[in-house]
Amino acid sequence: AAESIEFSGSVSARGGELAGDGGHVELNATESLAFSGTVDTSAPNGTLGTLTLSAPQIDIADDTGVTATALESSSANVEINATQNVTLHDLAQNEIDLGEGSLAINVEGIALSAEDSDAVGFLMVGADDIISTAGTVTVQVTDGSTNANALIDVAGRIETTKLPAPLPNEPRNPGNDIALAANQGRVRIHSSGELDASANDGAEAGRILISATGFDGVNESGTVSFSGSADVSNNDGVGGEVRVLGDRVGLFDAAIIDASGSMGGGTVLVGGNYQGGGDEHSAHRTYISSNSVINADALTTGDGGTVFVWSDDFTRFYGNISARGVGTGSGGFVEVSGKRVLQFDGVVAIGAESGQGGTLLLDPDVINITDTATTTGVQADVTPFGGTGTTTIARSLLEAVSYTHLTLPT
């Protein structure tokens, strides 16, 4: 690897016209990397090749570092590797369209401190900026220090589009998946942040994974703070899947998760899977604000979807969940649980036109149902992941849910 690389030329590593995959082009710098050229690894009858960019720190901007125009004009699956951070600066053109290429960003390094300025991470600064691809988008950041200070911070829009089924001898990337994972760190999706893996015209809806691990009780490591939107809706099929996982998971402000589908609702996991089982990491505490919405409705026909809200300790639910059935379909399955304590003061809609309402599961250790109270002994909302108390739920909240089955702890 060279210390510094400035590349403004062009490279062609195309697959053959009749057969063969695209090649691999790698630019690896130990200090600084500037890329303003073009790379073509297309393959008319094969698999798209790869462009790999590696440096301690990579800045994606209009005119410096790795330019947005260079990424757009290249035909390749793009891999970006760094040991400090990758920053997508506020772009004048507002969009990077990678065509059919996937995007993989991997940042693995040692944070100098717990300060944000020293974070090992991926930063998408501009609220109006868009990363668009028909491939997949994967961002993984890992802090190998004791500071637990990896960071994924998204203020803009990331969108993937499912390609139609390929014709014979025309392989295509699967597309439509977005994964953001912070190991020994946290994920912040701002209110302007949008993750879109929705589908239409018969394509399959995508999957969105957001995860953070490494909570040490000192900083925000292991925390997912989600204030934006995640869309895996499908206007011509069943909704997709969204998983928001971490040691502490919060939907804040007016967060929206949309897994609705014209033929049936999809699946949403916030804080964990059914009763904390499965392979997913279970949150210690989970919070959903009063203006947050989770939608897993069937829109034209079919069953409502599945929504799990879970924590191993304390779940505070003030939000809105909908998993309604349409036509002959049934209402969906919704679990809102804290293994130890649940504060249930939100709205759940799992009814159906057919009259076959869904199932609501509330499963903390103990529930007290009264005519007036919600959870008692809970701290003020200043600390969403704080609070102590017992589970006491107002009867009126349960009576407002149109369900066929209500399951409580025994």
Side-chain angles (χ1 to χ4, degrees), residues 193-197 208 210 226 228-233 242 256-259:
E194 301 177 12
L195 307 177
D196 188 343
I208 295 175
I210 306 167
F226 186 90
S229 64
D231 188 352
V232 292
S233 61
V242 176
I256 298 175
I257 297 177
D258 188 354

Side-chain angles (χ1 to χ4, degrees), residues 120-137:
V120 172
F122 168 69
L123 312 176
M124 187 176 182
V125 177
D128 294 325
D129 287 347
I130 301 172
I131 296 174
S132 179
T133 174
T136 60
V137 176

Side-chain angles (χ1 to χ4, degrees), residues 177-180 195 206-212 224 226 230 232 240-246 249 251 257 259 267-273 278-281 308:
D177 286 352
I178 299 171
L180 309 177
L195 307 177
R207 298 172 297 179
I208 295 175
L209 167 65
I210 306 167
S211 67
V224 175
F226 186 90
V232 292
E241 178 181 278
V242 176
R243 292 179 290 165
V244 187
L245 307 171
V249 174
L251 305 188
I257 297 177
T267 301
V268 178
L269 281 65
V270 178
N273 208 327
D279 296 329
E280 288 79 10
H281 182 82
F308 298 123

Side-chain angles (χ1 to χ4, degrees), residues 325-392:
V326 176
T328 59
S330 302
F333 186 101
V334 174
E335 176 184 14
V336 182
S337 294
K339 186 173 182 179
R340 188 177 65 85
V341 180
L342 167 65
Q343 183 170 16
F344 182 89
D345 196 10
V347 177
V348 174
I350 48 176
E353 291 179 341
S354 66
Q356 296 297 313
T359 297
L360 172 63
L361 169 62
L362 309 176
D363 196 22
D365 285 341
V366 177
I367 291 181
N368 300 308
I369 298 175
T370 72
D371 290 328
T372 56
T374 57
T375 306
T376 60
V378 177
Q379 297 173 5
D381 206 20
V382 175
T383 55
F385 298 116
T388 58
T390 57
T391 302
T392 304

Side-chain angles (χ1 to χ4, degrees), residues 114 116 143 145-151 182-188 211-225 246-249 281 385:
D116 271 13
D143 177 14
S145 75
T146 58
N147 292 305
N149 196 26
L151 171 64
N183 305 312
Q184 291 291 103
R186 70 269 195 217
V187 179
R188 291 197 298 241
S211 67
T213 61
F215 175 60
D216 59 7
V218 178
N219 58 17
E220 293 182 356
S221 61
T223 301
V224 175
S225 299
D247 298 315
R248 296 180 297 183
V249 174
H281 182 82
F385 298 116

Side-chain angles (χ1 to χ4, degrees), residues 5-24:
I5 295 176
E6 294 185 12
F7 181 84
S8 57
S10 61
V11 173
S12 178
R14 289 169 48 88
E17 292 296 326
L18 299 179
D21 298 332
H24 177 75

